[in-house]
Amino acid sequence: MAIYEGKDSSVDDAPKPHESGDEPARSLSLSETEGLEGLSLYEKKCVLINREIDAQGMGKYQWYIWGLCGFGYMLDLLWAQAFGLVLSPLKQELGFLGDETGNISVAFSSGLTAGRQWAFNLTVLFTTVFGLGLGGTNSYPSFLVLTAFVGFGIGGNIPIDTRITLEFIPQNRRFLLALLSIFQPIGVVVTSGIAYGFIPKYSCSPNFSQEGALPSCRNVAAGVACCAKADNMGWRYLLFTLGAISLAVFVFRFVLFRFKESPKYLVYRGKDDKAIGVLQYIAKFNGKQTAITLETFEALAREHNSVGSGTAILGGGAKQLQSSAWEKTKLEFARYKMLFANKQMTRLTLLVWATYIMDFWGFTVAGTYLPTILATKNGQLHLSLEFTYRSYVYIFLPGTVGVVIGALMYGVPRVGRKWTMVLSSGLMGASIFIFSAVNDEKSNIGLNVMEYFFQSMFNAVLYGWTPEVFPAPIRGTACGLASFWGRLFGIVSPLIAQQLYGNSGNINSVLYLAGGVTLGCVITTALLPNKAIGAQSF
């Protein structure tokens, strides 16, 4: 399958937009102006862009974007799962205390990025470079530093990849936003499978899940039997392999394919000619023709200004580029004001923030500690480490089905996105509480399957839905801020969990923390305004 390569966002190799020159200015047709009444100039241009993308359909370019953004989703949980799986063998070798276990999750959650075109590639580059270095660390502080840099790259993947996908796919394929999340359980299963191949075979013996586990060589005198690096290479082999996978994704996203900037983002920046060039490039890539030209936008601006009071700056094309620095600054601040433009937007913004906070809090604690807790419980049942790591594959594989069901629920009447999130978050929290009360082989696997199944369903809908309900000028800001608040509390939550786990050794206290906060998502999603769900996204 050949992958078409472009040059840059200026789209030099695309057919040039029509220059109005000396030709007479044309008027917009009835079909072009239909449904544009009452909108700003910027919103009108976005509607025309939506119509053009809808008319082109789901072509090769859109499928490449969807797949490559899916790889970003895969890397997110590929690495997040890895840190939960290596925590116990890492602790056995490096000898840090139980109340320091949450520092790994803190370091990973500290990474945040923002942007569009450059971030599409740099997020993966950061992950690759520092991920490969993780396997070579010999001290806990250096491991935490490199983990933070990996998190810096991973932190931007989901908000960036989701909004990129949203702005390039037709509106009748919006369910693909939720389906992007299918790459997350795939990433978890890949990590779990690799860990199953390496960690049980290349770990110290007796290992961390067995009675009489070898202590760290850092904590005992010379000559005492201990867990040395040479006997505990499994977690390192896992991280080296994940670094190689990240490198392959970077090659696909940067070398074999060149992402073009979003037309709506370019219009927002006043670069109408480049926005038209991107649309024509996509049409050429897909073997189709585009009906929209620069003259279309110019005619739209003339008509809008003739019936309005003054000349619009936002969406004004060349006039916007020629505006003063103060006017441009006001436009930037206006973006943030839009988050609280009216009562409904304020309610939506605050509830989305609260949902991300509780979601990240819950799954960060669960993702960090559930593998350790399951290994501990299985050790009490005298089940082997091979059995435990093999169980991770069984537990996480059904998450792909949860994502598909979440995507299918998009169009179910009276359920849709909102009530799918309410139901799945409730069942996710309930499964964690039930897991705290039982300890037998079948229940341990079954309840973890249930927890991850509904976690996958919930996050699939949440990540796909969030950029849909915010307009394009603040879509990146809204998604980035929601992710920021989520990851900020994803830093706080493991610090609390490590105190509960390290001081008391009570694994149920960690489960109560994760399950209780997760149930808060039931309330926040139930309170979401219905009118915002599935609205036209400008």
Side-chain angles (χ1 to χ4, degrees):
M1 178 174 62
I3 299 183
Y4 193 92
E5 178 179 342
K7 296 178 181 177
D8 54 44
S9 61
S10 62
V11 202
D12 294 333
D13 54 343
K16 296 297 181 184
H18 178 71
E19 302 286 349
S20 55
D22 297 328
E23 295 185 19
R26 75 176 183 89
S27 300
L28 293 174
S29 66
L30 182 61
S31 62
E32 288 174 314
T33 59
E34 184 179 1
L36 301 183
E37 299 81 5
L39 301 179
S40 68
L41 177 57
Y42 169 76
E43 290 173 339
K44 289 178 179 179
K45 290 181 178 180
C46 286
V47 170
L48 294 186
I49 291 172
N50 280 346
R51 291 175 182 174
E52 178 62 30
I53 290 176
D54 289 345
Q56 289 192 26
M58 195 71 187
K60 285 191 304 180
Y61 186 86
Q62 284 79 7
W63 282 116
Y64 288 153
I65 285 288
W66 184 81
L68 292 173
C69 287
F71 284 150
Y73 269 65
M74 182 187 74
L75 290 181
D76 184 77
L77 283 202
L78 191 85
W79 283 99
Q81 176 69 7
F83 293 119
L85 295 176
V86 305
L87 175 61
S88 294
L90 185 73
K91 179 172 176 281
Q92 185 178 13
E93 178 187 331
L94 300 183
F96 51 89
L97 300 176
D99 60 3
E100 296 179 281
T101 54
N103 291 342
I104 295 177
S105 185
V106 169
F108 182 66
S109 298
S110 298
L112 293 168
T113 60
R116 263 186 175 84
Q117 187 179 32
W118 66 268
F120 182 74
N121 296 311
L122 287 189
T123 53
V124 181
L125 180 61
F126 264 88
T127 303
T128 300
V129 173
F130 294 104
L132 286 169
L134 269 173
T137 55
N138 293 310
S139 69
Y140 193 44
S142 63
F143 187 90
L144 294 177
V145 170
L146 291 179
T147 299
F149 280 107
V150 172
F152 181 82
I154 291 295
N157 267 333
I158 289 181
I160 290 166
D161 293 336
T162 305
R163 66 180 184 259
I164 286 173
T165 304
L166 172 65
E167 296 190 4
F168 282 101
I169 63 173
Q171 295 186 77
N172 65 355
R173 294 291 187 272
R174 289 285 173 86
F175 67 90
L176 289 173
L177 288 171
L179 206 56
L180 268 177
S181 291
I182 199 170
F183 288 89
Q184 289 189 308
I186 290 174
V188 172
V189 170
V190 169
T191 300
S192 300
I194 297 170
Y196 170 61
F198 285 135
I199 292 180
K201 185 176 181 180
Y202 299 103
S203 289
C204 293
S205 181
N207 62 60
F208 55 86
S209 69
Q210 297 172 320
E211 293 183 10
L214 287 178
S216 169
C217 293
R218 297 170 182 269
N219 299 335
V220 297
V224 177
C226 60
C227 183
K229 175 181 177 179
D231 302 319
N232 202 48
M233 292 295 292
W235 67 268
R236 288 185 166 84
Y237 294 153
L238 169 63
L239 297 180
F240 286 142
T241 305
L242 299 189
I245 293 173
S246 302
L247 177 61
V249 172
F250 175 74
V251 170
F252 274 112
R253 286 172 62 143
F254 183 72
V255 178
L256 300 180
F257 184 86
R258 295 293 178 88
F259 163 66
K260 303 302 173 185
E261 189 57 89
S262 159
K264 292 178 185 177
Y265 179 80
L266 292 170
V267 167
Y268 176 76
R269 292 297 181 186
K271 301 176 181 179
D272 288 6
D273 56 338
K274 290 187 177 181
I276 296 298
V278 170
L279 290 172
Q280 294 181 331
Y281 172 87
I282 296 172
K284 179 183 178 182
F285 192 103
N286 292 334
K288 296 185 178 182
Q289 298 291 324
T290 179
I292 193 171
T293 65
L294 183 59
E295 187 183 21
T296 308
F297 278 174
E298 292 171 345
L300 185 64
R302 285 193 298 270
E303 182 175 296
H304 178 87
N305 294 331
S306 68
V307 298
S309 55
T311 302
I313 297 179
L314 180 57
K319 288 185 175 63
Q320 182 175 337
L321 291 176
Q322 296 165 7
S323 61
S324 67
W326 173 242
E327 289 174 326
K328 291 178 179 178
T329 301
K330 287 196 297 183
L331 281 178
E332 287 301 310
F333 280 109
R335 283 200 304 152
Y336 293 91
K337 280 184 167 181
M338 290 173 69
L339 291 169
F340 305 97
N342 52 51
K343 185 176 180 180
Q344 179 165 300
M345 277 296 295
T346 300
R347 175 185 171 189
L348 174 66
T349 298
L350 295 178
L351 286 173
V352 167
W353 287 358
T355 302
Y356 270 75
I357 286 170
M358 287 183 281
D359 180 46
F360 274 67
W361 180 301
F363 81 66
T364 299
V365 173
T368 302
Y369 286 97
L370 278 181
T372 298
I373 291 172
L374 183 60
T376 301
K377 286 192 169 190
N378 284 349
Q380 294 170 356
L381 297 172
H382 305 290
L383 298 172
S384 70
L385 193 61
E386 289 83 356
F387 175 86
T388 297
Y389 274 81
R390 186 169 63 247
S391 298
Y392 294 142
V393 178
Y394 304 150
I395 288 168
F396 298 120
L397 190 58
T400 57
V401 181
V403 172
V404 173
I405 293 176
L408 293 176
M409 295 296 282
Y410 255 46
V412 177
R414 299 183 180 276
V415 180
R417 299 151 174 82
K418 175 176 176 176
W419 295 109
T420 300
M421 289 191 286
V422 171
L423 176 66
S424 56
S425 59
L427 292 172
M428 175 171 55
S431 64
I432 296 176
F433 275 107
I434 298 171
F435 178 55
S436 68
V438 300
N439 186 22
D440 62 76
E441 179 182 331
K442 293 181 180 178
S443 297
N444 288 347
I445 294 178
L447 289 168
N448 275 272
V449 167
M450 178 178 171
E451 187 278 333
Y452 191 69
F453 179 90
F454 289 110
Q455 177 186 320
S456 299
M457 181 187 295
F458 177 80
N459 287 336
V461 179
L462 178 66
Y463 296 157
W465 166 83
T466 304
E468 282 192 88
V469 293
F470 290 101
I474 57 169
R475 183 171 297 141
T477 302
C479 292
L481 283 173
S483 180
F484 164 77
W485 287 116
R487 289 191 179 270
L488 179 63
F489 280 82
I491 294 172
V492 175
S493 59
L495 293 176
I496 297 174
Q498 76 180 12
Q499 293 301 315
L500 295 173
Y501 186 68
N503 292 340
S504 66
N506 184 1
I507 59 178
N508 285 343
S509 61
V510 176
L511 296 175
Y512 296 153
L513 176 66
V517 175
T518 299
L519 288 177
C521 293
V522 176
I523 299 173
T524 57
T525 52
L527 293 175
L528 286 169
N530 289 316
K531 290 182 180 179
I533 308 297
Q536 163 92 295
S537 189
F538 298 117

